[in-house]
């Protein structure tokens, strides 16, 4: 029976992680340089941290031992390595760090720069090789007009080379703007280290500064982001896709440092947007929504979940919350009742190509569009859920109940199946709100059927067999307290031997 | 004349002349004097001015107009704008814009009967006839109705020689000269004995693109009158309508129309005219025997279900009515065989025409006297056609023959109710409700079936049109509207509304009534909101067991697809609203959002979509809309059996499903789609069907699991495992999941996300985990889909495209041009034969729908407008070539050779949908499966 609940240990050991070891700096000499060990130590010592959590993505785990040893030797603090992160490795896993009671985190590798809430944080991006001269050449080739308005964006792992790039270009391209990395943190800017120091945009007016996804750049006066084209340094991937969705009116070009080639992107961006529109229509059709928790680190994730629950309820749909770690097809297909999932995660991980999934997975923004009648699909796209919260740049209030009551009369036809869209249960009604106590309609001979119950009855597997009457009844006992790594009664010594 | 004043051509080049007299010798001098004088005058004037005004007023200081303050007073704020903010073409105060798209009478026109009488007749269902007039394009349905209108409405007359087209109420219909919508007409008509009947007549469009309108009309009628042009004979749509009417189990009567053409146009001698008419009747009977199993279904003038008409001359008679006229005129009864009769008819018309055309003054009165027709002097002075019309009208009288035919041959709503209900109601007849409907009981519980939505003049609202089957519908009554998805188990698709006003619709005017009893047609206000296409209207209480009437079953398919998008993205909501409205207005139209996020409109043909776009742009949303090039829907299929057993393991490695795919038997896909066979049948009946009709063995026939992608989907999932090898109980426990995976897979095929068609998937082996947890839906559904895909890909996948059946009528010399045009569009001719008794040829051909865009125009250009084509969806056919052959290079802007077409279509569809350029096949295969492929040394055509 034990195997039913957890996969057996051998399988775990034999499981291979799809990581590429290509980028680890295996030479000991490189470690110091690549992982900025001295910087890290300075950071730790200046704040007198006692326990430090090092978070490595899967592909850098090979170097974890060496790095932690080096840091431990230098600073004599307790160092923990956070390996397998439950969600995307680009986000800071604060919950895991709190499990060991760490008081600061050092995050290695690619990052989405999503703001986190609790712990002081240092980013070590690592330095991927890049041929700056090639990059400059590509830039000149793609933008022959030296007066063109361009914003330069880049993957964080190339941030080390951007200064050199800027020096080579800024003279000949006066209208080109370089973005700087700048994450915000709950406790203020000083808690985050590893970002480009110095305020490069100090000479800008406040209203022309664009601050998104931990990047900041300032635009020329009288210009909006739409007037600029974007130049991205880095491999195509989630980061670029995220930028392209957000600034979908801008023309994008990219330079891939691995192959040292540049190309024009943005041909398929409209198609991608239209596909998301389809997802919205699916979300509108849905009656039961599953909220997937895809992050525990990004600030305000709890508020957006609350807001989603509220808007889903107001739209007359049911919602369930799921926390299932990394998402895969099989996990989601286990819940046939759910019509659509909404994934709350960092901007880069929110955009999920859901064509392989049994049910579509949408972003919080798309769910909002589907539920909130005041929000309309206009081509604007928000990947960062924090913008949807009250006070966020794209927050739209939900229509008042009485106001929407009039609109409710207009029946809606599903654009996918062509059937009438269920105008749904109106739970706010009060009088008919609870279905538990209603006067039974005498003319009705058949009892009211509960759709959820009938669905359950129709399932071939309804959970573990309860074996009613076969198992003896036992008195409930108080169980262990705490988390699995260290139950409270086990004491501290046992934990030490575990680690 | 001085020479130096003139040039060498004699033109005067001297100083200016004051007048003609100045041609004197001293012209020069005088000119000079006058100039001096002028100067003096000016000086004087200046001097005067200086003396008059005290100060010098500069030009810019002069005040020409009073200031705004002087004019309007000090308290009025005046704003001066230097530049216009709106263009000159736009009026500052816009006139109130009334949108009107239909021709309507302003008030009730006069009728020969009393409106009250009409309303009273509604109560006696035995005296009602619900009839659909249908027929091929331009076979005279609308003209025929015009005659009926003229006979009952003394004030409505056609002007000059133009057709009245009273039932073409849309402006677009008038402009195009073709009916687009079915139009109901209700009137009181007398039969030959003078007894009055209430006729509900539906005038339907004849163009094949609008067959869906005919279907909507047929559903609420008890019989049809099929119009056939005497000269053209049985045409494409005639045949389709016969088939459809047989399927809908309606009484069929024939009206051979435009008989005058035989004589006036084809100039056939009477005997040949007779043979021509007989040929038509024989053809119809031939078709009836093909489509119907009922031997007694025969049309013949002798049986009274054929009438002859010529609306042009206001002639309509049946054998019976003509015999009566004959007897009345000549005082003797003619033998009622129709052979001599047609002779005499032909003779009559011939005589009339030659006489009237030839010598009005002398011979006509003689003939008229003989027939007992008296014309006044005034009337005799009319032009030939109106005169002929008048004479015929006098002689043949009103269309009592038509009324007789309908009354005798078409059942009344009362007697036809049982058959109608059996055919269209999803519930049983044995309930109280069923009984009430079968009895057409006006006092029973309310049941009303609406099949069409008519928009109001301004296109803002819709009125539902339908037939009351039992009970009485009252104005202002609360009702429950059941939609097409309503079932007793799932009551979501129902809504309680209040009925507004009720009308009886007579094309261009509506008679408001406050109650409509069973058996009648009614136009309902106020409950249009929840209705998408058809609906069942019942009472809000007491009719809980009410089920719905079947949604319409069309005899055509919407295969042409256009993607629309507002030019201004912010106008999307407006467009969506418009889309919703056109969706209501056109019975078989589908609007949806595709996976790619495009809004697509699916219609039956080019004309159909053109009308839809007109309504969308002008009538319902008034915005600019971009339209993508039309495309067609494709299907994915296989042509062979999978080259090896394909298997896939679930992610937890505890289940393994093995399947193969193979093509379905010919005709089976169509049978499933037409619901000849239904998955809901019990296992025995289902098994018998497959055993007898398609020769399946007992085991396979009994183990059919599902059709896909839905219950009428043209794919089958069969459990072909052996109980000795597979634990059937375990397999049964995951049946639901596998079926879901199969349906998911067949909904979007692996080639380009188009539905799979005509494929049978066999489960050959299955290893299923013992613990229920390990065989949950999450494990099995995606795996079942994967194995469906891999089995599909191993069975030589192909693309399918829709084909049109085209019927072209052209004169003999244009036939070769028709061939050329068809050949250029991948079409091929199946039949080419002269139409008997006419100089025209009929060419029947097939053409791929994707190459049919602009075909009609192309054809007209090549035949100087002499050829006329109609095309309608016919079947699916495999696109030549292998869609997965990577060696094919698709060159842009070049026509592809035939073997490259499948690849081209697939890649272009994928591009349009925003998918990656090529299918990543390896995605659907497990590693062990790939190993197996290598071991078995299967030569894969496709590099993985």
């Amino acid at each position: 029976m034990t195997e039913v609940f957890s996969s057996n240990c051998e399988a775990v050991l034999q499981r291979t992680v799809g990581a590429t070891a290509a980028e680890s700096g295996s030479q000991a000499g490189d470690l110091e340089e690549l992982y900025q060990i001295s910087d890290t130590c300075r950071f730790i010592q200046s704040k007198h941290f006692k326990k430090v959590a090092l978070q490595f993505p899967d592909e850098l785990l090979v170097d974890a031992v060496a790095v932690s040893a080096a840091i431990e030797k230098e600073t004599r603090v307790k160092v923990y390595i956070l390996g397998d992160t439950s969600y995307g490795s680009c986000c800071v896993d604060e919950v895991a760090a709190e499990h060991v009671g760490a008081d600061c985190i050092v995050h290695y590798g690619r990052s989405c720069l999503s703001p986190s809430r609790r712990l002081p944080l240092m980013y070590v991006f690592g330095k991927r090789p890049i041929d700056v001269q090639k990059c400059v050449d590509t830039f000149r080739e793609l933008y022959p007009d030296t007066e063109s308005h361009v914003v330069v964006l880049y993957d964080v792992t190339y941030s080390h080379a951007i200064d050199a790039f800027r020096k080579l270009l800024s003279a000949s391209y006066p209208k080109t703007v370089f973005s700087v990395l700048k994450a915000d943190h709950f406790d203020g800017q000083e808690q985050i280290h590893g970002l480009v120091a110095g305020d490069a945009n100090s000479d800008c007016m406040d209203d022309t500064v664009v601050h998104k996804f931990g990047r900041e750049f300032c635009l020329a006066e009288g210009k909006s982001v739409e007037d600029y084209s974007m130049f991205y340094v880095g491999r195509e991937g989630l980061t670029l896709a995220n930028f392209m969705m957000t600034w979908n009116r801008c023309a994008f070009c990219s330079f891939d440092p691995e192959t040292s080639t540049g190309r024009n992107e943005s041909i398929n961006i409209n198609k991608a947007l239209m596909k998301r529109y389809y997802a919205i229509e699916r979300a509108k059709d849905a009656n039961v929504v599953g909220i997937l928790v895809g992050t525990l680190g990004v600030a305000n994730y709890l508020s957006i979940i609350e807001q989603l629950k509220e808007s889903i309820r107001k739209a007359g749909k049911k919602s369930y919350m799921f926390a299932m770690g990394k998402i895969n097809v099989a996990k989601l297909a286990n819940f046939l009742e759910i019509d659509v999932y909404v994934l709350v995660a960092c901007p880069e991980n929110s955009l999920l190509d859901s064509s392989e999934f049994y049910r579509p997975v949408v972003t919080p923004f798309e769910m909002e569009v589907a539920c909130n009648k005041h929000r309309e699909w206009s081509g604007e796209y928000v990947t960062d859920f924090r913008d949807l919260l009250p006070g966020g740049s794209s927050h739209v209030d939900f229509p008042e109940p009485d106001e929407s009551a009039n609109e409710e009369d207009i029946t809606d036809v599903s654009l996918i199946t062509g059937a009438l869209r269920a105008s749904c249960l109106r739970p706010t009604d009060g009088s008919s709100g609870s279905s538990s106590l209603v006067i039974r309609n005498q003319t009705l001979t058949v009892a009211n059927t509960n759709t959820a119950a009938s669905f359950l009855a129709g399932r071939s597997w309804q959970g573990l067999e309860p074996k009613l009457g076969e198992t003896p009844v036992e008195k409930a006992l108080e169980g262990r307290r705490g988390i699995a790594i260290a139950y409270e009664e086990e004491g501290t010594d046992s934990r030490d031997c575990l680690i | 004349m001085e020479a130096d004043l003139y040039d060498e051509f004699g033109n005067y080049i001297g100083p200016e002349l004051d007048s003609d007299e100045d041609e004197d010798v001293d012209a020069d001098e005088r000119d000079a004097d006058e100039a001096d004088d002028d100067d003096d005058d000016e000086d004087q004037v200046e001097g005067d001015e200086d003396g008059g005004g005290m100060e010098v007023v500069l030009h810019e200081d002069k005040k020409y107009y009073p200031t705004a303050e002087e004019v309007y007073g000090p308290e009025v704020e005046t704003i001066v704008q230097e530049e216009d903010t709106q263009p000159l073409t736009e009026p500052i105060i816009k006139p109130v814009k009334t949108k009107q798209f239909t021709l309507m009478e302003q008030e009730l026109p006069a009728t020969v009967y009393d409106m009250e009488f009409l309303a009273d007749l509604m109560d006696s269902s035995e005296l009602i006839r619900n009839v659909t007039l249908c027929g091929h394009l331009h076979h005279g349905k609308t003209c025929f109705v015009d005659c009926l209108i003229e006979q009952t409405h003394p004030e409505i007359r056609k002007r000059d020689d133009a057709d009245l087209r009273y039932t073409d109420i849309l402006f677009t219909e008038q402009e195009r000269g073709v009916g687009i919508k079915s139009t109901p007409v209700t009137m009181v008509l007398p039969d030959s004995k003078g007894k009055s009947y209430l006729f509900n007549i539906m005038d339907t469009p004849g163009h094949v693109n609008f067959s869906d309108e005919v279907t909507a009309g047929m559903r609420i009628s008890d019989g049809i009158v099929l119009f056939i042009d005497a000269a053209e004979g049985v045409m494409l749509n005639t045949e389709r309508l016969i088939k459809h009417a047989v399927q809908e189990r309606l009484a069929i009567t024939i009206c051979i129309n435009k008989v005058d053409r035989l004589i006036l146009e084809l100039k056939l001698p009477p005997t040949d005219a007779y043979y021509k008419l007989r040929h038509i009747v024989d053809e119809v009977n031939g078709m009836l025997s093909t489509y119907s199993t009922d031997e007694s279904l025969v049309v013949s003038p002798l049986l009274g279900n054929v009438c002859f008409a010529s609306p042009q001359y206001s002639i309509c008679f049946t054998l019976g009515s003509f015999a009566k006229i004959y007897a009345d005129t000549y005082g003797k009864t003619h033998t009622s065989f129709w052979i001599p009769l047609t002779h005499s008819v032909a003779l009559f018309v011939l005589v009339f025409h030659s006489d009237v055309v030839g010598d009005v003054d002398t011979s006509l009165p003689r003939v008229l006297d003989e027939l007992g027709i008296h014309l006044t002097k005034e009337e005799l002075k009319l032009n030939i056609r109106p005169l002929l019309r008048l004479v015929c009208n006098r002689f043949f009288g009103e269309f009592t023959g038509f009324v007789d035919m309908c009354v005798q041959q078409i059942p009344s709503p009362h007697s036809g109710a049982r058959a109608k209900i059996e055919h269209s109601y999803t519930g049983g007849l044995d309930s109280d409700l069923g009984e009430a409907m079968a009895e057409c009981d006006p006092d029973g519980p309310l049941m009303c079936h609406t099949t069409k939505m008519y928009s109001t003049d301004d296109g803002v609202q819709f009125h539902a049109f339908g037939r009351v089957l039992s009970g009485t519908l009252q104005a202002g009554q609360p009702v429950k509207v059941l939609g097409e998805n309503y079932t007793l188990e799932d009551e979501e698709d129902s809504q309680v509304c209040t009925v507004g006003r009720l009308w009886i619709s007579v094309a261009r005017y509506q008679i408001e009534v406050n109650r409509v009893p069973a058996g009648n047609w009614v136009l309902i206000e106020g409950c249009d909101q929840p209705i998408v296409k058809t609906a069942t209207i019942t009472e809000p209480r007491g009719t809980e067991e009410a089920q719905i009437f079947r949604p319409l079953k069309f005899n055509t398919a919407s295969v042409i697809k256009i993607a629309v998008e507002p030019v201004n993205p912010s106008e999307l909501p407006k467009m969506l609203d418009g889309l919703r409205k056109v969706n209501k207005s056109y019975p078989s139209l589908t609007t949806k959002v595709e996976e790619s996020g495009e809004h697509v409109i699916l219609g039956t043909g080019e004309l159909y979509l053109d009308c839809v776009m007109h309504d969308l742009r002008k009538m319902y949303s008034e915005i600019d809309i971009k339209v993508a090039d039309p495309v067609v829907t494709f299907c994915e299929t296989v042509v062979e059996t999978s080259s090896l057993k394909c298997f896939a393991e679930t992610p937890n490695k505890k289940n393994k499903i093995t399947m193969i795919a193979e093509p379905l038997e010919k005709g089976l896909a169509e049978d499933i789609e037409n619901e000849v066979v239904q998955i809901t049948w019990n296992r025995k009946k289902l098994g018998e069907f497959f055993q007898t009709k398609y020769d399946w063995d007992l085991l396979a026939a009994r183990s059919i699991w599902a059709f896909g992608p839905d219950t009428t989907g043209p794919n089958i999932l069969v459990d072909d495992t052996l109980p000795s090898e597979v634990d059937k109980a375990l397999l049964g426990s995951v049946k639901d999941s596998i079926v879901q995976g199969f349906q998911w897979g067949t909904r979007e095929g692996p080639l380009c996300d188009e539905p799979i068609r005509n494929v049978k998937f066999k489960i050959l082996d299955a290893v299923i985990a013992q613990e229920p947890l390990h065989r949950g839906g999450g494990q099995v559904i995606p795996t079942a889909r994967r194995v469906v895909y891999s089995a599909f890909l191993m069975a030589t996948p192909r693309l399918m495209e829709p084909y049109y059946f085209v019927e072209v009528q052209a004169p003999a010399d244009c036939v070769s041009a028709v061939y050329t045009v068809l050949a250029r569009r991948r079409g091929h001719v199946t039949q080419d034969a002269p139409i008997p008794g006419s100089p025209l040829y009929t060419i029947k051909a097939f053409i791929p729908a994707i190459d049919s865009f602009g075909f009609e125009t192309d054809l007209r250009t090549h035949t100087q407008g002499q050829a006329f084509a109609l095309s309608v969806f016919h079947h699916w056919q495999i696109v030549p070539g292998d869609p997965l052959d990577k060696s094919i290079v698709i060159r842009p802007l070049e026509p592809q050779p035939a073997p490259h077409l499948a690849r081209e279509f697939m890649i272009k569809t994928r591009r349009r949908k925003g998918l990656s350029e090529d299918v990543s096949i390896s995605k659907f295969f497990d590693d062990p499966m790939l190993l197996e492929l290598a071991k078995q040394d299967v030569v894969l055509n496709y590099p993985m």
Side-chain angles (χ1 to χ4, degrees), chain B residues 136-165:
Chain B
H136 191 73
L137 186 63
H138 296 318
H139 278 194
K141 299 169 291 298
T142 304
C143 275
F144 189 87
V145 179
D146 284 348
C147 290
L148 294 176
I149 291 280
E150 285 186 18
Q151 283 163 22
T152 48
H153 296 70
E155 286 170 10
I156 300 171
R157 287 285 171 266
K158 70 176 182 182
R159 284 197 206 93
D160 308 328
D161 231 7
D163 281 339
L164 182 62
R165 306 191 72 89

Side-chain angles (χ1 to χ4, degrees), chain A residues 4 274 277 358 411 415 419 461, chain B residues 529 592-593 597 599 740 772-773:
Chain A
V4 173
M274 291 305 280
Y277 178 71
Y358 186 58
T411 45
L415 287 167
W461 190 67
Chain B
Q529 274 299 346
K592 62 176 184 179
V593 177
H599 285 276
Q740 281 187 31
L773 180 68

Side-chain angles (χ1 to χ4, degrees), chain B residues 280-386:
Chain B
I280 293 172
V281 174
D282 287 348
E283 254 187 299
V284 172
N285 281 326
M287 282 168 193
L288 282 174
S289 63
T290 326
Y291 297 126
S292 169
T293 49
D294 185 3
E295 292 288 320
S296 63
L297 202 57
V298 175
V299 291
S300 158
L302 290 175
L303 296 172
N305 51 13
V306 176
C307 75
F308 303 89
S310 168
Q312 188 89 55
Y313 298 104
S314 190
I315 302 171
C316 176
F317 58 90
T318 59
L319 214 55
S321 73
F322 189 76
K324 191 163 175 283
I325 296 165
Y326 193 86
D328 290 351
T329 317
Y330 294 102
K332 53 181 176 183
T333 46
H334 204 284
T335 48
S336 58
F337 289 106
W338 72 298
I339 304 167
L341 186 96
T342 28
H343 274 250
S344 35
V345 173
L347 279 172
F348 265 120
V349 180
L350 197 66
V351 166
F352 273 144
H353 202 256
S354 53
D355 279 351
V356 177
V357 173
D359 191 359
V360 179
D361 298 327
T362 54
S363 65
L364 186 67
R366 192 174 44 80
V367 179
L368 292 179
D369 268 350
E370 207 173 300
L371 297 171
I373 298 169
H374 304 287
L375 294 179
T376 61
K377 278 264 162 56
E378 297 297 310
E379 285 168 336
L380 276 171
K381 282 178 190 156
L382 281 167
N383 276 337
I384 293 164
R385 268 203 176 180

